[in-house]
Amino acid sequence: MAAESLLRAVLRRKVEFLRHVRQRRAHHSHKPPTAGEQIPTPGNVPTLPFWQRLGPLTRAAMAYARAQRKRPYTTQVATSLVICFTADLSAQRMGGRDYDPKRTVRSLIVGSISSIPSYKWMLWLSNKFNYSSHILSLGTKVVVNQICFTPIFNTYFFGMHAFLAGESWNNIVERIRVTVPVSFVNSWKLWPAVTAISFTFIPMEYRSLFAGVVAVGWQTYLSFLNRKAEDGKTIEPAPALAVKAVEAPVVAGSTQAAAAATRPALSAALRPLAPKPRLQSFPRRPNSTTTTTTTTTTATPTPTEPTKAAVADPSILPRRLKLSAYAAALAAVLGVGYYYATDTRASVHQYLVPRLLRTIYPDAEEAHHVGTAALKGLYEVGLHIRERVPEYPNGPLSVNVFGKQLLNPIGISAGLDKDAEIPDPLFALGAGVVEVGGCTPFPQEGNPKPRVFRIPSVDGLINRYGLNSRGADAMATRLRERLRKFARSVGLTENQVLNEEGTDDIPPGSLHPGRLLCVQIAKNKKTDEKDVNAVIRDYVYCVDKLAPYADVLVVNVSSPNTPGLRDLQATEPLTKLLSAVVDAAQQTKRKIKPRVMVKVSPDEDDDTQMEGVVEAVWNSGVDGVIVGNTTKRRTGIVPKGVKLIDDEPNILHEEGGFSGPALFKNTLSLVGRYRKMLDGYALKSESDKSAAQKVLFASGGITNGEQALKVLNAGASVAMVYTGMVYTGSGTITRIKTEMKEKLAVKSA
């Protein structure tokens, strides 16, 4: 037995060693994984940011967060004591005098008393002033914090220090009068940025830790300022800026004289922090004193004759008023410009930006990547384009799809966001449905470049991307991290969000109320389309990885750029494929399972072909159909009276799928025919009479509100846009919905 146990241990170690070597080889290989290789899954791919993967530092931060969640008040008091102790030591060291333990004790008392009220204030501020605009919310929080909290805390800090030092009431008031204005002005140079970073990037449980690190320096400054105020009677006043001032010795016990001596000392010591002075100080000469240009004779003032304040330059007030007017005008211009540039209704997004992109980037794919990167980057800093027209669940465009009440029936087709990098910026543009993908199980490059071509004369595109994809694992990781971030922001767990617990019926895919996220899946190019079982494995693999983070799974069997893919639309293989996808989707570990739709080609428009698709849809249990995709046909693309220019005639005959307004008539016809066939098939079978009506999405050539209403009236539930956004910009969705409302208002009038 002992020998057998030893042999098992040796073999287990050998297996682990071989597995480690294989993983290292796979890591150093730049080749994409094949169907037989093990690739990382969302469960073992690191999805946390870098700062949460720093070993001991991360563990210490997590321990602090756990302590704060378990004992928030105790943790806050302990944090404040450490901050105040460190700051006081630093301030006393800056003073250049012997260490005074009494001052440290006073600092600890002051910090411990203020710790819990300060914590309560930050909690209150976190829950207030949360508007739809991130910039507006952040700006309001910063201003409220600076105006309300900072002067109150500084008054308490300096006043309490003076009180604990045994100062008289008059001295306490004078201490506050001297120190608070200077500290308040200087606080605007540091704390707005700290507050903005804290509320934007720092999770709630770490904000005290982050602010504490900054507060060490700030408390050092306050302690230093307080000490200077305490020692003001021993500080020699600084010389005047332009001329040598008459020095007035400070009388012991005179608080006003101490304050007068403190201000120039602070100005000299804290010159890098304080604003540049605009006034020059000229102390008033006593009557008994005579001066010359080279010598100065001083007389000792009596305690009732303090040094007078500086005399202001009469020209300063107009200059300040002028500067204030300029600042107000600049702020107004920036504010108006921000709201205009980030509104989908702005005309620049329709007429200027698309033309500018086409001019700067002649290659359509490069322009696509630049636009995607811009939307992603602007969204991360809160400067993204958004729809500011309010929508309501029971508004004029509201529609029920799959049991969810959508805010509107306008969607964005797959292809614009191939790797699920910008679903939230696309939702911000006003879409009720966003489709990301197509996604293949394993990464693939797609077809050689160039592979996207514009035909501006007909607002058309030809693409032969070939389903370029980073793979299902990469997309799943990205969507999972997005869901985790949302869960943290609302104080829920990942499973609670997936099961719609405590989220007010927010779909776990879109993470936006009244909206749906569709994830399109497809097979790899190298997978033999004749091997139906291999094809099914590709699709099921995508379902296993992506289903938890999708509201709707879209099975793409209609891309014209993947060889043999459209052959899967035959009844028998399509039924087998869709049945496998539906079964896999039902295994998703989520209370409400994702719906399944199939995306069909507009070129397979023969009645027999369409009836085969309808039969497969009903037999497999698929929930709906998306009609259609890009077309290989080139007849009827150019309307009468339109003349192609430059090299557009040659581009029109490039290999690939065409999309644009020319497809609308065919899309409208297909929607009506599919609607009739789907409903008619349900009536033929007694077993299907109780089944829910199949949902139709229309995609192809929809560019305005009138066309959207036509396809909806023909039987579609959602009208999807893609090429229209390339030519009319990020305000396309808003414009289409506005036109729809106008049409509906005219009909109801």
Side-chain angles (χ1 to χ4, degrees):
M1 290 296 294
E4 184 179 353
S5 300
L6 179 63
L7 180 60
R8 289 179 178 177
V10 171
L11 290 176
R12 187 162 51 248
R13 280 180 166 271
K14 189 65 175 178
V15 169
E16 291 295 329
F17 173 77
L18 292 174
R19 183 179 299 169
H20 177 68
V21 170
R22 183 180 181 184
Q23 289 177 351
R24 290 188 59 185
R25 289 176 178 175
H27 175 73
H28 292 292
S29 175
H30 297 287
K31 296 180 180 180
T34 62
E37 293 179 344
Q38 175 66 30
I39 66 175
T41 64
N44 59 32
V45 174
T47 59
L48 297 176
F50 173 76
W51 69 275
Q52 290 187 4
R53 291 185 276 120
L54 297 179
L57 293 178
T58 299
R59 289 193 292 271
M62 294 176 67
Y64 177 86
R66 288 194 299 270
Q68 188 182 57
R69 287 192 293 266
K70 190 174 182 180
R71 301 183 187 87
Y73 296 153
T74 303
T75 306
Q76 289 303 315
V77 172
T79 303
S80 296
L81 291 176
V82 173
I83 292 171
C84 293
F85 179 76
T86 308
D88 185 75
L89 291 182
S90 178
Q92 292 202 50
R93 183 179 180 86
M94 288 176 60
R97 299 177 62 184
D98 294 337
Y99 173 70
D100 183 3
K102 294 180 180 179
R103 282 186 48 80
T104 303
V105 173
R106 291 199 296 269
S107 295
L108 294 178
I109 294 174
V110 171
S112 62
I113 294 175
S114 64
S115 60
I116 295 178
S118 299
Y119 174 66
K120 288 283 191 179
W121 166 261
M122 294 308 295
L123 284 179
W124 180 86
L125 194 61
S126 298
N127 297 323
K128 300 296 181 181
F129 312 110
N130 296 312
Y131 310 116
S132 58
S133 169
H134 178 70
I135 295 297
L136 179 61
S137 301
L138 199 59
T140 305
K141 291 176 188 289
V142 168
V143 172
V144 170
N145 188 66
Q146 286 296 112
I147 293 178
C148 298
F149 178 77
T150 301
I152 293 175
F153 177 81
N154 291 355
T155 300
Y156 158 78
F157 181 88
F158 294 116
M160 195 66 178
H161 265 286
F163 173 76
L164 294 175
E167 298 283 346
S168 65
W169 175 251
N170 290 335
N171 287 354
I172 293 174
V173 173
E174 186 61 27
R175 174 85 62 85
I176 293 172
R177 189 181 69 83
V178 171
T179 55
V180 170
V182 177
S183 63
F184 177 71
V185 170
N186 287 328
S187 71
W188 284 90
K189 302 174 183 178
L190 173 67
W191 284 105
V194 174
T195 304
I197 293 173
S198 179
F199 280 105
T200 303
F201 301 107
I202 309 299
M204 186 64 202
E205 60 267 27
Y206 295 109
R207 287 177 186 169
S208 297
L209 192 63
F210 170 73
V213 174
V214 181
V216 170
W218 178 248
Q219 292 282 15
T220 299
Y221 163 66
L222 293 182
S223 298
F224 177 73
L225 195 65
N226 182 66
R227 180 156 190 167
K228 288 297 182 182
E230 287 179 346
D231 299 342
K233 58 186 179 182
T234 64
I235 298 175
E236 294 295 332
L241 297 176
V243 297
K244 188 177 289 185
V246 178
E247 296 181 359
V250 178
V251 178
S254 174
T255 304
Q256 294 181 348
T262 301
R263 290 194 193 93
L266 290 174
S267 177
L270 305 174
R271 195 177 302 276
L273 295 175
K276 293 184 179 180
R278 291 183 175 273
L279 301 177
Q280 296 179 348
S281 299
F282 297 94
R284 181 179 178 180
R285 301 187 184 111
N287 293 332
S288 59
T289 303
T290 59
T291 61
T292 65
T293 57
T294 57
T295 61
T296 302
T297 305
T298 63
T300 302
T302 64
T304 59
E305 187 184 1
T307 304
K308 300 297 182 182
V311 179
D313 185 350
S315 63
I316 287 180
L317 182 58
R319 289 204 301 270
R320 286 184 174 177
L321 291 176
K322 187 176 181 180
L323 182 61
S324 299
Y326 285 155
L330 178 60
V333 170
L334 291 176
V336 172
Y338 162 75
Y339 274 93
Y340 175 78
T342 57
D343 196 315
T344 54
R345 294 169 293 181
S347 57
V348 294
H349 300 310
Q350 180 178 357
Y351 299 109
L352 178 61
V353 175
R355 289 172 172 79
L356 197 61
L357 278 174
R358 292 201 296 271
T359 302
I360 298 175
Y361 300 100
D363 182 76
E365 183 175 358
E366 188 177 3
H368 177 197
H369 292 320
V370 170
T372 301
L375 288 173
K376 182 179 179 181
L378 291 173
Y379 186 84
E380 289 177 351
V381 297
L383 296 176
H384 59 287
I385 305 165
R386 69 206 72 181
E387 186 179 68
R388 289 197 170 90
V389 181
E391 290 187 298
Y392 306 98
N394 296 317
L397 299 182
S398 180
V399 60
N400 190 286
V401 178
F402 297 131
K404 296 287 186 181
Q405 197 67 26
L406 301 189
L407 296 174
N408 65 79
I410 306 302
I412 296 176
S413 293
L416 196 63
D417 185 12
K418 286 183 170 294
D419 297 300
E421 294 181 299
I422 54 169
D424 294 312
L426 293 181
F427 279 121
L429 300 181
V433 176
V434 169
E435 183 185 2
V436 299
C439 181
T440 57
F442 305 106
Q444 64 180 25
E445 292 294 329
N447 293 323
K449 300 179 181 180
R451 52 193 180 184
V452 188
F453 309 91
R454 305 186 190 99
I455 309 178
S457 296
V458 294
D459 289 347
L461 281 178
I462 292 177
N463 89 80
R464 52 170 181 263
Y465 274 115
L467 286 173
N468 54 310
S469 172
R470 297 178 187 174
D473 292 277
M475 181 180 285
T477 300
R478 194 172 297 109
L479 291 175
R480 186 180 190 184
E481 180 57 31
R482 172 176 172 263
L483 185 139
R484 286 177 169 180
K485 184 177 180 181
F486 173 81
R488 291 195 297 266
S489 69
V490 296
L492 298 174
T493 65
E494 181 178 345
N495 286 332
Q496 285 177 317
V497 175
L498 285 174
N499 293 315
E500 302 183 33
E501 298 174 1
T503 57
D504 295 329
D505 201 31
I506 295 178
S510 70
L511 302 179
H512 293 272
R515 306 181 194 275
L516 294 176
L517 178 70
C518 301
V519 177
Q520 184 188 117
I521 58 176
K523 77 175 187 71
N524 275 108
K525 186 176 181 179
K526 293 181 179 179
T527 303
D528 186 2
E529 67 279 0
K530 296 179 181 178
D531 187 349
V532 178
N533 292 328
V535 172
I536 289 175
R537 284 196 296 270
D538 274 13
Y539 283 94
V540 170
Y541 186 93
C542 292
V543 173
D544 292 341
K545 301 301 179 183
L546 299 170
Y549 317 111
D551 300 315
V552 181
L553 290 167
V554 179
V555 180
N556 183 0
V557 291
S558 58
S559 171
N561 303 308
T562 299
L565 185 63
R566 291 188 173 182
D567 295 340
L568 295 172
Q569 292 183 135
T571 305
E572 184 178 351
L574 184 60
T575 302
K576 191 174 181 180
L577 170 62
L578 295 180
S579 298
V581 171
V582 170
D583 291 342
Q586 290 301 312
Q587 302 302 316
T588 305
K589 295 180 179 180
R590 214 174 71 183
K591 184 170 67 174
I592 300 177
K593 312 302 181 184
R595 302 298 185 124
V596 178
M597 301 185 74
V598 58
K599 193 165 193 173
V600 298
S601 167
D603 294 340
E604 276 67 34
D605 55 358
D606 182 81
D607 286 344
T608 303
Q609 294 172 319
M610 294 175 62
E611 288 173 357
V613 171
V614 170
E615 181 181 352
V617 167
W618 275 106
N619 291 340
S620 62
V622 164
D623 300 290
V625 180
I626 298 181
V627 184
N629 208 320
T630 56
T631 179
K632 287 184 174 181
R633 297 173 180 173
R634 295 296 184 266
T635 57
I637 297 298
V638 182
K640 293 182 179 180
V642 175
K643 185 177 181 181
L644 300 181
I645 60 175
D646 299 330
D647 58 346
E648 289 180 344
N650 296 328
I651 293 176
L652 185 62
H653 292 90
E654 286 281 355
E655 183 181 353
F658 175 88
S659 61
L663 296 183
F664 175 72
K665 289 184 179 180
N666 190 42
T667 300
L668 181 61
S669 173
L670 287 174
V671 168
R673 293 167 64 191
Y674 267 110
R675 178 80 280 159
K676 184 177 180 180
M677 289 182 181
L678 287 168
D679 295 344
Y681 194 91
L683 297 175
K684 293 179 182 179
S685 176
E686 292 291 334
S687 60
D688 291 328
K689 284 186 177 180
S690 60
Q693 185 186 45
K694 301 300 181 183
V695 174
L696 277 180
F697 287 5
S699 176
I702 301 169
T703 58
N704 57 52
E706 182 179 4
Q707 292 175 336
L709 286 174
K710 286 182 178 180
V711 295
L712 295 176
N713 291 332
S717 297
V718 174
M720 307 192 78
V721 183
Y722 173 53
T723 307
M725 295 189 67
V726 174
Y727 285 96
T728 57
S730 53
T732 301
I733 305 296
T734 300
R735 178 175 53 80
I736 289 176
K737 292 191 295 185
T738 301
E739 293 171 354
M740 291 174 67
K741 292 176 184 177
E742 293 173 352
K743 292 284 184 181
L744 293 174
V746 170
K747 289 182 179 180
S748 61

mmCIF file of all heavy atoms in Angstrom, residues 14 25 110 253 330 351 425 532 557 592 612 636 693 727 737:
data_model
loop_
_atom_site.group_PDB
_atom_site.id
_atom_site.type_symbol
_atom_site.label_atom_id
_atom_site.label_comp_id
_atom_site.label_asym_id
_atom_site.label_seq_id
_atom_site.Cartn_x
_atom_site.Cartn_y
_atom_site.Cartn_z
ATOM 1 N N LYS A 14 4.162 14.410 -11.636
ATOM 2 C CA LYS A 14 4.574 14.421 -13.038
ATOM 3 C C LYS A 14 3.501 15.039 -13.917
ATOM 4 O O LYS A 14 3.789 15.834 -14.822
ATOM 5 C CB LYS A 14 4.856 12.975 -13.484
ATOM 6 C CG LYS A 14 5.496 12.875 -14.876
ATOM 7 C CD LYS A 14 6.888 13.483 -14.906
ATOM 8 C CE LYS A 14 7.558 13.277 -16.257
ATOM 9 N NZ LYS A 14 8.880 13.912 -16.300
ATOM 10 N N ARG A 25 4.270 26.753 -22.723
ATOM 11 C CA ARG A 25 4.429 26.753 -24.184
ATOM 12 C C ARG A 25 3.279 27.476 -24.858
ATOM 13 O O ARG A 25 3.466 28.229 -25.806
ATOM 14 C CB ARG A 25 4.517 25.315 -24.688
ATOM 15 C CG ARG A 25 5.825 24.620 -24.306
ATOM 16 C CD ARG A 25 5.816 23.162 -24.758
ATOM 17 N NE ARG A 25 7.075 22.495 -24.435
ATOM 18 C CZ ARG A 25 7.287 21.201 -24.640
ATOM 19 N NH1 ARG A 25 6.321 20.443 -25.165
ATOM 20 N NH2 ARG A 25 8.452 20.666 -24.322
ATOM 21 N N VAL A 110 -8.593 65.997 18.597
ATOM 22 C CA VAL A 110 -9.313 66.685 17.518
ATOM 23 C C VAL A 110 -9.702 65.695 16.415
ATOM 24 O O VAL A 110 -10.831 65.695 15.917
ATOM 25 C CB VAL A 110 -8.458 67.829 16.947
ATOM 26 C CG1 VAL A 110 -9.091 68.403 15.684
ATOM 27 C CG2 VAL A 110 -8.286 68.932 17.976
ATOM 28 N N GLY A 253 0.658 89.684 24.561
ATOM 29 C CA GLY A 253 -0.743 89.624 24.961
ATOM 30 C C GLY A 253 -1.678 90.260 23.977
ATOM 31 O O GLY A 253 -2.888 90.189 24.139
ATOM 32 N N LEU A 330 -16.304 82.423 -19.789
ATOM 33 C CA LEU A 330 -15.625 81.194 -20.187
ATOM 34 C C LEU A 330 -16.353 79.969 -19.638
ATOM 35 O O LEU A 330 -16.536 78.972 -20.346
ATOM 36 C CB LEU A 330 -14.178 81.215 -19.688
ATOM 37 C CG LEU A 330 -13.332 79.961 -19.998
ATOM 38 C CD1 LEU A 330 -13.233 79.748 -21.506
ATOM 39 C CD2 LEU A 330 -11.948 80.084 -19.375
ATOM 40 N N TYR A 351 -23.820 66.046 -39.533
ATOM 41 C CA TYR A 351 -23.287 66.656 -40.750
ATOM 42 C C TYR A 351 -21.767 66.818 -40.759
ATOM 43 O O TYR A 351 -21.156 66.825 -41.823
ATOM 44 C CB TYR A 351 -23.929 68.033 -40.952
ATOM 45 C CG TYR A 351 -25.423 67.978 -41.109
ATOM 46 C CD1 TYR A 351 -26.271 68.445 -40.101
ATOM 47 C CD2 TYR A 351 -26.012 67.421 -42.239
ATOM 48 C CE1 TYR A 351 -27.647 68.389 -40.234
ATOM 49 C CE2 TYR A 351 -27.389 67.351 -42.378
ATOM 50 C CZ TYR A 351 -28.199 67.841 -41.365
ATOM 51 O OH TYR A 351 -29.566 67.775 -41.490
ATOM 52 N N PRO A 425 -21.849 52.788 -24.122
ATOM 53 C CA PRO A 425 -21.939 53.989 -24.956
ATOM 54 C C PRO A 425 -23.008 53.901 -26.034
ATOM 55 O O PRO A 425 -23.633 54.911 -26.366
ATOM 56 C CB PRO A 425 -20.534 54.099 -25.568
ATOM 57 C CG PRO A 425 -19.642 53.423 -24.595
ATOM 58 C CD PRO A 425 -20.457 52.301 -24.025
ATOM 59 N N VAL A 532 -21.976 18.749 -39.287
ATOM 60 C CA VAL A 532 -22.965 19.456 -38.474
ATOM 61 C C VAL A 532 -22.636 19.364 -36.991
ATOM 62 O O VAL A 532 -22.811 20.332 -36.240
ATOM 63 C CB VAL A 532 -24.383 18.909 -38.755
ATOM 64 C CG1 VAL A 532 -25.410 19.618 -37.877
ATOM 65 C CG2 VAL A 532 -24.731 19.073 -40.225
ATOM 66 N N VAL A 557 -26.451 32.491 -39.075
ATOM 67 C CA VAL A 557 -26.241 31.493 -40.129
ATOM 68 C C VAL A 557 -26.349 32.166 -41.492
ATOM 69 O O VAL A 557 -26.637 31.512 -42.496
ATOM 70 C CB VAL A 557 -27.271 30.340 -40.024
ATOM 71 C CG1 VAL A 557 -27.015 29.504 -38.785
ATOM 72 C CG2 VAL A 557 -28.693 30.871 -40.033
ATOM 73 N N ILE A 592 -33.776 33.609 -15.030
ATOM 74 C CA ILE A 592 -34.447 33.867 -16.307
ATOM 75 C C ILE A 592 -33.457 33.558 -17.421
ATOM 76 O O ILE A 592 -32.433 34.235 -17.548
ATOM 77 C CB ILE A 592 -34.946 35.319 -16.396
ATOM 78 C CG1 ILE A 592 -35.939 35.600 -15.258
ATOM 79 C CG2 ILE A 592 -35.586 35.595 -17.746
ATOM 80 C CD1 ILE A 592 -36.438 37.029 -15.223
ATOM 81 N N GLY A 612 -38.800 26.548 -44.967
ATOM 82 C CA GLY A 612 -37.883 25.652 -44.266
ATOM 83 C C GLY A 612 -37.315 26.292 -43.009
ATOM 84 O O GLY A 612 -37.177 25.646 -41.963
ATOM 85 N N GLY A 636 -30.257 46.471 -58.557
ATOM 86 C CA GLY A 636 -31.172 47.386 -57.880
ATOM 87 C C GLY A 636 -30.545 48.159 -56.746
ATOM 88 O O GLY A 636 -31.256 48.770 -55.939
ATOM 89 N N GLN A 693 -46.111 33.927 -29.619
ATOM 90 C CA GLN A 693 -45.835 34.365 -30.986
ATOM 91 C C GLN A 693 -44.341 34.612 -31.149
ATOM 92 O O GLN A 693 -43.690 35.172 -30.272
ATOM 93 C CB GLN A 693 -46.612 35.648 -31.287
ATOM 94 C CG GLN A 693 -46.479 36.118 -32.734
ATOM 95 C CD GLN A 693 -47.147 37.462 -32.961
ATOM 96 O OE1 GLN A 693 -46.975 38.381 -32.164
ATOM 97 N NE2 GLN A 693 -47.919 37.572 -34.018
ATOM 98 N N TYR A 727 -23.250 56.926 -41.820
ATOM 99 C CA TYR A 727 -23.391 58.119 -42.662
ATOM 100 C C TYR A 727 -24.103 59.278 -41.961
ATOM 101 O O TYR A 727 -23.922 60.429 -42.367
ATOM 102 C CB TYR A 727 -24.136 57.749 -43.943
ATOM 103 C CG TYR A 727 -23.275 56.977 -44.917
ATOM 104 C CD1 TYR A 727 -23.322 55.589 -44.962
ATOM 105 C CD2 TYR A 727 -22.398 57.626 -45.774
ATOM 106 C CE1 TYR A 727 -22.526 54.871 -45.840
ATOM 107 C CE2 TYR A 727 -21.597 56.926 -46.660
ATOM 108 C CZ TYR A 727 -21.662 55.546 -46.686
ATOM 109 O OH TYR A 727 -20.856 54.848 -47.555
ATOM 110 N N LYS A 737 -36.245 58.192 -33.773
ATOM 111 C CA LYS A 737 -37.327 58.174 -32.782
ATOM 112 C C LYS A 737 -38.127 59.472 -32.809
ATOM 113 O O LYS A 737 -39.359 59.448 -32.649
ATOM 114 C CB LYS A 737 -36.749 57.927 -31.388
ATOM 115 C CG LYS A 737 -36.185 56.528 -31.211
ATOM 116 C CD LYS A 737 -35.876 56.213 -29.767
ATOM 117 C CE LYS A 737 -34.791 57.080 -29.213
ATOM 118 N NZ LYS A 737 -34.402 56.688 -27.841
#
